[in-house]
Protein backbone atom coordinates (compact mmCIF):
# COMPACT_ATOMS: atom_id res chain seq x y z
CA UNK A 1 0.00 0.00 0.00
CA UNK A 2 1.26 3.49 -0.80
CA UNK A 3 0.21 4.90 2.54
CA UNK A 4 -1.50 8.23 3.04
CA UNK A 5 -0.67 10.60 0.19
CA UNK A 6 -0.63 14.35 0.54
CA UNK A 7 -0.07 17.05 -2.02
CA UNK A 8 1.57 19.39 -2.43
CA UNK A 9 4.50 18.67 -0.11
CA UNK A 10 5.44 22.34 0.03
CA UNK A 11 3.34 25.39 -0.69
CA UNK A 12 4.44 29.01 -0.64
CA UNK A 13 1.78 31.60 -1.21
CA UNK A 14 1.04 35.22 -0.54
CA UNK A 15 -1.35 36.53 2.04
CA UNK A 16 -4.91 36.65 0.74
CA UNK A 17 -4.53 33.78 -1.71
CA UNK A 18 -6.59 30.60 -1.59
CA UNK A 19 -4.74 27.45 -0.60
CA UNK A 20 -5.98 23.90 -1.19
CA UNK A 21 -4.31 20.93 0.44
CA UNK A 22 -5.12 17.42 -0.74
CA UNK A 23 -5.15 14.02 0.88
CA UNK A 24 -5.68 10.46 -0.28
CA UNK A 25 -6.23 8.07 2.65
CA UNK A 26 -5.26 4.42 2.77
CA UNK A 27 -7.75 2.36 0.81
CA UNK A 28 -10.36 0.81 3.09
CA UNK A 29 -9.85 3.21 5.98
CA UNK A 30 -13.09 4.82 7.07
CA UNK A 31 -11.74 7.66 9.21
CA UNK A 32 -9.76 10.65 7.98
CA UNK A 33 -8.15 13.32 10.14
CA UNK A 34 -6.62 16.72 9.40
CA UNK A 35 -3.99 18.14 11.77
CA UNK A 36 -1.93 21.31 11.95
CA UNK A 37 1.52 21.35 13.56
CA UNK A 38 3.28 24.49 14.78
CA UNK A 39 6.08 25.06 17.26
CA UNK A 40 3.84 27.07 19.54
CA UNK A 41 0.73 24.92 19.57
CA UNK A 42 2.06 21.46 18.75
CA UNK A 43 -0.15 19.02 16.86
CA UNK A 44 -3.76 20.20 16.69
CA UNK A 45 -6.67 18.17 15.40
CA UNK A 46 -8.66 20.35 12.99
CA UNK A 47 -11.43 18.08 11.73
CA UNK A 48 -12.15 14.41 11.19
CA UNK A 49 -14.49 12.39 9.02
CA UNK A 50 -16.19 9.01 9.28
CA UNK A 51 -17.29 7.52 5.97
CA UNK A 52 -16.91 10.93 4.32
CA UNK A 53 -19.10 12.69 6.90
CA UNK A 54 -17.53 15.28 9.25
CA UNK A 55 -17.73 14.10 12.86
CA UNK A 56 -16.13 17.01 14.66
CA UNK A 57 -14.87 20.28 13.19
CA UNK A 58 -14.46 22.12 16.48
CA UNK A 59 -10.73 22.35 15.91
CA UNK A 60 -11.07 24.38 12.72
CA UNK A 61 -9.64 27.75 13.76
CA UNK A 62 -11.79 30.09 11.70
CA UNK A 63 -14.35 30.27 8.94
CA UNK A 64 -11.47 30.80 6.55
CA UNK A 65 -10.81 27.07 6.92
CA UNK A 66 -13.00 24.46 5.29
CA UNK A 67 -12.64 20.74 4.60
CA UNK A 68 -14.47 18.35 2.35
CA UNK A 69 -14.44 14.67 1.66
CA UNK A 70 -16.41 14.06 -1.53
CA UNK A 71 -15.57 10.36 -1.61
CA UNK A 72 -13.72 7.70 0.34
CA UNK A 73 -10.44 8.28 -1.45
CA UNK A 74 -10.05 12.04 -1.41
CA UNK A 75 -10.22 14.98 0.95
CA UNK A 76 -9.30 18.64 0.74
CA UNK A 77 -8.49 21.32 3.29
CA UNK A 78 -8.98 24.83 1.97
CA UNK A 79 -7.86 28.13 3.44
CA UNK A 80 -9.41 31.24 1.93
CA UNK A 81 -8.04 33.84 2.35
CA UNK A 82 -4.71 32.69 3.73
CA UNK A 83 -2.80 34.66 6.37
CA UNK A 84 0.83 34.47 7.57
CA UNK A 85 -0.28 32.91 10.86
CA UNK A 86 -1.58 29.93 8.89
CA UNK A 87 2.00 28.94 8.14
CA UNK A 88 2.44 25.43 9.53
CA UNK A 89 2.78 21.79 8.56
CA UNK A 90 -0.59 20.22 7.80
CA UNK A 91 -0.94 16.48 8.24
CA UNK A 92 -3.58 14.13 7.03
CA UNK A 93 -4.07 10.73 8.70
CA UNK A 94 -6.42 7.82 8.23
CA UNK A 95 -7.53 4.92 10.40
CA UNK A 96 -9.76 1.90 10.41
CA UNK A 97 -12.76 1.91 12.76
CA UNK A 98 -12.17 5.11 14.62
CA UNK A 99 -10.04 7.53 16.54
CA UNK A 100 -9.22 4.91 19.15
CA UNK A 101 -7.31 2.91 16.58
CA UNK A 102 -3.87 3.46 15.09
CA UNK A 103 -3.68 6.42 12.76
CA UNK A 104 -1.48 6.34 9.68
CA UNK A 105 -0.05 9.73 8.85
CA UNK A 106 0.89 11.28 5.56
CA UNK A 107 4.16 13.14 4.99
CA UNK A 108 2.55 16.51 5.57
CA UNK A 109 2.29 19.74 3.59
CA UNK A 110 4.55 22.56 4.70
CA UNK A 111 2.62 25.79 4.09
CA UNK A 112 4.30 29.17 4.11
CA UNK A 113 2.14 32.27 3.75
CA UNK A 114 4.14 35.41 3.02
CA UNK B 1 -11.37 21.04 28.48
CA UNK B 2 -9.42 17.85 27.94
CA UNK B 3 -5.69 18.29 27.58
CA UNK B 4 -2.45 16.34 27.31
CA UNK B 5 0.74 17.62 28.88
CA UNK B 6 4.23 16.58 27.96
CA UNK B 7 6.44 18.29 30.46
CA UNK B 8 9.77 17.77 28.72
CA UNK B 9 9.95 19.79 25.52
CA UNK B 10 13.52 18.94 24.70
CA UNK B 11 15.63 16.11 26.15
CA UNK B 12 19.28 15.41 25.46
CA UNK B 13 20.82 12.10 26.51
CA UNK B 14 23.93 10.09 25.81
CA UNK B 15 23.72 6.65 24.25
CA UNK B 16 22.96 3.86 26.76
CA UNK B 17 21.26 6.26 29.15
CA UNK B 18 17.80 5.41 30.43
CA UNK B 19 14.84 7.40 29.16
CA UNK B 20 11.56 8.44 30.69
CA UNK B 21 9.26 10.93 28.98
CA UNK B 22 6.33 12.23 30.94
CA UNK B 23 2.73 12.41 29.75
CA UNK B 24 -0.26 13.51 31.81
CA UNK B 25 -3.82 13.97 30.67
CA UNK B 26 -6.89 15.61 32.11
CA UNK B 27 -9.94 13.38 31.71
CA UNK B 28 -11.67 11.30 34.36
CA UNK B 29 -13.37 8.71 32.19
CA UNK B 30 -12.31 5.89 29.91
CA UNK B 31 -9.25 6.62 27.84
CA UNK B 32 -7.19 5.00 25.15
CA UNK B 33 -3.57 6.10 25.18
CA UNK B 34 -0.92 6.30 22.50
CA UNK B 35 2.68 7.24 21.90
CA UNK B 36 3.65 8.25 18.38
CA UNK B 37 7.15 8.95 17.11
CA UNK B 38 8.40 11.08 14.25
CA UNK B 39 11.94 10.28 13.13
CA UNK B 40 13.75 13.02 11.19
CA UNK B 41 12.30 13.29 7.72
CA UNK B 42 9.72 10.56 8.30
CA UNK B 43 6.01 10.27 8.98
CA UNK B 44 4.52 10.07 12.44
CA UNK B 45 4.12 6.42 13.34
CA UNK B 46 2.67 4.50 16.24
CA UNK B 47 5.12 3.43 18.93
CA UNK B 48 2.67 1.76 21.31
CA UNK B 49 -0.90 1.96 22.59
CA UNK B 50 -2.98 1.12 25.64
CA UNK B 51 -6.62 0.08 25.42
CA UNK B 52 -7.26 -2.06 28.48
CA UNK B 53 -5.75 -4.83 30.57
CA UNK B 54 -2.12 -4.85 31.66
CA UNK B 55 -1.16 -1.22 32.35
CA UNK B 56 2.41 -1.91 31.25
CA UNK B 57 2.48 -1.80 27.48
CA UNK B 58 5.38 -2.83 25.31
CA UNK B 59 5.97 -1.30 21.91
CA UNK B 60 8.42 -1.39 19.09
CA UNK B 61 12.18 -0.84 19.41
CA UNK B 62 12.32 -1.67 23.11
CA UNK B 63 9.98 1.09 24.27
CA UNK B 64 7.37 0.58 26.98
CA UNK B 65 4.83 2.76 28.76
CA UNK B 66 2.94 2.44 32.00
CA UNK B 67 -0.62 3.63 32.50
CA UNK B 68 -1.16 4.86 36.05
CA UNK B 69 -4.83 5.72 36.29
CA UNK B 70 -4.59 7.40 39.70
CA UNK B 71 -1.95 9.76 38.38
CA UNK B 72 -3.55 10.30 34.94
CA UNK B 73 -0.17 9.44 33.49
CA UNK B 74 1.22 7.37 30.62
CA UNK B 75 4.99 7.78 30.74
CA UNK B 76 7.24 6.37 28.05
CA UNK B 77 10.39 4.50 29.03
CA UNK B 78 13.37 2.81 27.48
CA UNK B 79 16.19 1.33 29.59
CA UNK B 80 19.01 2.09 27.16
CA UNK B 81 18.64 4.58 24.31
CA UNK B 82 20.45 4.49 20.99
CA UNK B 83 21.47 7.26 18.65
CA UNK B 84 18.72 6.11 16.28
CA UNK B 85 16.10 7.03 18.90
CA UNK B 86 16.65 10.68 18.08
CA UNK B 87 13.16 11.84 17.15
CA UNK B 88 10.12 13.74 18.34
CA UNK B 89 7.72 11.82 20.58
CA UNK B 90 4.02 12.58 20.94
CA UNK B 91 1.63 11.35 23.59
CA UNK B 92 -2.04 11.15 22.56
CA UNK B 93 -5.30 10.43 24.35
CA UNK B 94 -8.64 9.30 23.00
CA UNK B 95 -10.91 10.68 25.71
CA UNK B 96 -14.03 8.57 26.09
CA UNK B 97 -12.83 5.33 24.57
CA UNK B 98 -15.26 5.45 21.67
CA UNK B 99 -14.47 5.44 17.99
CA UNK B 100 -15.90 8.92 17.41
CA UNK B 101 -14.35 10.55 20.45
CA UNK B 102 -11.75 13.20 19.83
CA UNK B 103 -8.06 12.35 20.03
CA UNK B 104 -5.83 14.94 21.62
CA UNK B 105 -2.07 15.14 21.13
CA UNK B 106 0.53 16.62 23.44
CA UNK B 107 2.92 19.22 22.08
CA UNK B 108 5.69 16.68 21.69
CA UNK B 109 9.13 16.06 23.17
CA UNK B 110 12.22 16.39 21.02
CA UNK B 111 14.74 13.73 22.01
CA UNK B 112 18.34 14.12 20.95
CA UNK B 113 20.75 11.27 21.60
CA UNK B 114 24.45 12.05 21.63
CA UNK B 115 26.65 9.33 20.06
Amino acid sequence: DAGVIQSPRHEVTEMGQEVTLRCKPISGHDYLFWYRQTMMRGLELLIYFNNNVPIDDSGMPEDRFSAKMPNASFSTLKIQPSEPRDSAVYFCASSLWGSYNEQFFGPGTRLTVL
Amino acid sequence: AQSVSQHNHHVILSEAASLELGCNYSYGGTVNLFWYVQYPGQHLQLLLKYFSGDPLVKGIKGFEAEFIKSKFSFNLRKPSVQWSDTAEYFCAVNAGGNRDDKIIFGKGTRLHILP
Side-chain angles (χ1 to χ4, degrees), chain A residues 31 48 58 99-100 103, chain B residues 36 51 99-102 107:
Chain A
Y31 278 75
Y48 55 109
S58 60
S99 61
Y100 57 23
Q103 292 185 31
Chain B
Y36 282 84
F51 278 6
R99 58 187 292 175
D100 284 343
D101 287 326
K102 186 176 290 189
K107 289 189 176 181

Side-chain angles (χ1 to χ4, degrees), chain A residues 11-109:
Chain A
E11 176 82 28
V12 180
T13 190
E14 293 188 344
M15 183 174 63
Q17 296 298 306
E18 177 179 295
V19 175
T20 299
L21 311 181
R22 297 171 178 80
C23 175
K24 177 179 168 54
I26 292 174
S27 176
H29 282 190
D30 54 352
Y31 278 75
L32 183 139
F33 306 81
W34 281 102
Y35 293 89
R36 177 174 68 176
Q37 185 182 31
T38 61
M39 289 292 291
M40 289 297 295
R41 301 174 70 92
L43 196 61
E44 300 174 276
L45 177 61
L46 301 178
I47 185 172
Y48 55 109
F49 297 82
N50 174 20
N51 288 321
N52 316 334
V53 176
I55 299 298
D56 190 326
D57 65 354
S58 60
M60 297 285 263
E62 299 170 35
D63 290 345
R64 298 184 295 106
F65 286 70
S66 63
K68 294 182 180 179
M69 192 164 185
N71 57 61
S73 59
F74 183 66
S75 178
T76 59
L77 179 67
K78 187 176 292 187
I79 308 172
Q80 166 63 17
S82 58
E83 296 182 4
R85 59 196 168 117
D86 301 331
S87 297
V89 180
Y90 291 82
F91 289 102
C92 176
S94 69
S95 75
L96 193 57
W97 296 340
S99 61
Y100 57 23
N101 226 344
E102 178 181 1
Q103 292 185 31
F104 293 82
F105 283 78
T109 295

